Amino acid sequence: MITIPYTTALTTYFSYGLLFAFGQIRDFFRKIFDWFSTNGLQGYAPICLGLEDFYVRRLYLRIQDCFGRPIASAPDAWIDVVERYSNDYNKTLKRTSNTTRCLNLGSYNYLGFAASDEFCTPRVIDSLNQYSPSTCSSRVDGGTTVLHTALDESVARFVGKPAAIVFGMGYVTNSAILPVLIGKKGLIVSDSLNHNSIVKGAQGSGATVRVFQHNTPSHLEEVLREQITKGQPRTHRPWKKIIVVVEGIYSMEGELCKLPEIIAVCKKYKAYVYLDEAHSIGAVGKTGRGVCELLGVDTADVDIMMGTFTKSFGSCGGYIASSKEVIQYLKYTCPAHLYGTSISPPAAQQILSAIKVILGEDGSCRGAQKLAQIRENSNFFRSELIKMGFEVLGDNDSPVMPIMLYNPAKIPAFSRECLKQNVAIVTVAFPATPLLLARARICISAAHTKEDLTKALEVISRVGDLVGVKYFPAEPNKKEWQEKHVEGRAKLE
């Protein structure tokens, strides 16, 4: 759990209070002016109404230049960011023909496959010529090519499950699968910081949803014990099934799931385990097989394994891996499989080729080198940020490292100052995070060189001092400390 310093929490509340108060005053005068103006929709209820609409108009639009920045290149270690300007105080942003070359610390390009690759790219181009960009059909109609069949088999073999099924979109993989796996009279126990796709999937399932404290197996056990004792609402009958949903690496925290402990609790209470490995598959583990490999967990102990291809594989889509019976059931019942257009053939070929590189089946050791590089880069960058005095979330080996900003004024300041110095980072605020826990999320890639990371650290350190987000004292530089120590001894002598 994140413990906010008292002073930081107080100033953050005060800042949001000011923004909220001025926004309400502006809305008050807006209503007065609208009262006298003619409107062609008189009598209609407003489509956009509520606190979310207020937040967008009065808070988000002020800093929307920090979000959704278009790029004009592949999301490699360095990217071309398109410059934009506004003539109406950021309500609308217009693109220019100018671009800025920036160090990319925002893309999920963990293994560097998003750019041109000597093994993957020629095969993707060949598949484009053979199959076209889209199948224009669902898997059950005319949307299954030999690439899709090979991909299902390759994914199952890679993650260590009997069978797998792939989908064209990672978000839909969660939001469409959960309602198929469980419904009314079932219980979903979800980590409090699970991704929005899991939240929406759980809500759409019709099952009862309960939340346990983030990454806390002891609280998970309390929730399971209480819910099993109470049973279903009103009838108090036993639950038809219970599914515990967790993530391998939490996308906004960079933390590794305490998977062994969670599996032990689930076994004790006969609950199924659903593991979302969107940010961990391909990025962690000796051979890139995710948190199960990293933490020494047998994949047989995880009932449903979910992952996406948008991070480590440089493609799009997602997968579900499980027993043959479960995968066959999903093929008959899942709307995303029955009605959604199948994954693009070139995208499928990219995933197949990336898996071959990771496993060394391309005849080289580049896959092992990429995995070693992402681990080395991540641990180096995290340790250096902590030494500088930043509050950095997450665990070692995780390529996701959030830097806490908290105050709303520091969100645009940090983002804009980094961009001025040719470093592109992603800032994250409400509703993606709780209101008080705004942050800058750094994503490290195997494509980054030591020189890239050193430059990024220098820029982030300068900006951190300028904006005031170094919430902890920095560790003294060893070289400087030794020089001062020698000078001190010389004076004494």
Side-chain angles (χ1 to χ4, degrees), residues 3-209:
T3 304
I4 310 175
Y6 178 77
T7 307
T8 304
L10 190 64
T11 56
T12 303
Y13 271 123
F14 181 74
S15 299
Y16 275 114
L18 277 179
L19 290 169
F20 186 83
F22 278 106
Q24 291 291 346
I25 292 170
R26 293 184 68 183
D27 273 8
F28 173 76
F29 284 104
R30 180 188 179 188
K31 287 178 182 177
I32 294 176
F33 287 115
D34 286 349
W35 181 266
F36 296 101
S37 64
T38 57
N39 192 337
L41 294 176
Q42 289 182 354
Y44 285 85
I47 292 178
C48 301
L49 188 66
L51 283 175
E52 288 82 3
D53 177 55
F54 174 84
Y55 179 85
V56 169
R57 289 185 293 104
R58 299 306 184 198
L59 280 78
Y60 172 79
L61 289 183
R62 290 170 174 263
I63 60 172
Q64 73 160 325
D65 61 296
C66 299
F67 305 97
R69 289 175 177 144
I71 64 173
S73 65
D76 202 359
W78 288 79
I79 54 175
D80 295 324
V81 179
V82 178
E83 296 178 7
R84 298 180 293 177
Y85 69 95
S86 175
N87 295 323
D88 53 6
Y89 305 102
N90 260 14
K91 286 184 179 179
T92 58
L93 294 169
K94 296 182 180 180
R95 298 186 185 95
T96 69
S97 57
N98 300 326
T99 60
T100 303
R101 191 70 173 168
C102 294
L103 180 59
N104 181 12
L105 295 180
S107 299
Y108 305 133
N109 184 26
Y110 296 149
L111 295 185
F113 284 117
S116 179
D117 182 84
E118 62 188 71
F119 183 82
C120 301
T121 305
R123 286 160 178 77
V124 171
I125 294 172
D126 290 342
S127 68
L128 177 63
N129 293 329
Q130 183 176 355
Y131 295 103
S132 84
S134 173
T135 62
C136 301
S137 184
S138 67
R139 287 289 299 270
V140 295
D141 294 328
T144 299
T145 67
V146 292
L147 292 177
H148 294 85
T149 305
L151 183 57
D152 288 341
E153 296 171 355
S154 180
V155 168
R157 180 169 57 92
F158 183 69
V159 302
K161 278 293 188 181
I165 182 173
V166 299
F167 301 93
M169 183 179 178
Y171 187 97
V172 169
T173 306
N174 274 329
S175 60
I177 286 295
L178 282 169
V180 177
L181 292 175
I182 192 169
K184 291 180 179 179
K185 302 181 182 180
L187 173 66
I188 295 176
V189 184
S190 179
D191 188 288
S192 60
L193 296 182
N194 272 340
H195 190 263
N196 181 264
S197 59
I198 294 173
V199 174
K200 295 304 180 185
Q203 291 173 348
S205 69
T208 300
V209 181

Side-chain angles (χ1 to χ4, degrees), residues 158-162 259-264 267 273 275 277 289-305 321:
F158 183 69
V159 302
K161 278 293 188 181
L259 193 58
E261 295 90 340
I262 287 172
I263 287 177
K267 282 185 175 181
V273 179
L275 175 63
E277 287 215 82
R289 287 180 165 89
V291 290
C292 288
E293 182 178 49
L294 181 67
L295 302 177
V297 173
D298 188 349
T299 55
D301 292 332
V302 181
D303 302 286
I304 308 292
M305 298 181 72

Side-chain angles (χ1 to χ4, degrees), residues 155 159 165-167 169-171 173-174 274-282 304-311 313 316-321:
V155 168
V159 302
I165 182 173
V166 299
F167 301 93
M169 183 179 178
Y171 187 97
T173 306
N174 274 329
Y274 183 108
L275 175 63
D276 178 342
E277 287 215 82
H279 286 267
S280 55
I281 192 66
I304 308 292
M305 298 181 72
M306 176 270 177
T308 63
F309 304 118
T310 51
K311 282 77 177 176
F313 303 94
C316 63
Y319 69 84
I320 293 289

Side-chain angles (χ1 to χ4, degrees), residues 247-268:
E247 295 185 35
I249 292 179
Y250 289 89
S251 57
M252 289 298 168
E253 284 67 40
E255 294 177 0
L256 294 169
C257 171
K258 295 179 181 177
L259 193 58
E261 295 90 340
I262 287 172
I263 287 177
V265 173
C266 291
K267 282 185 175 181
K268 182 178 178 180

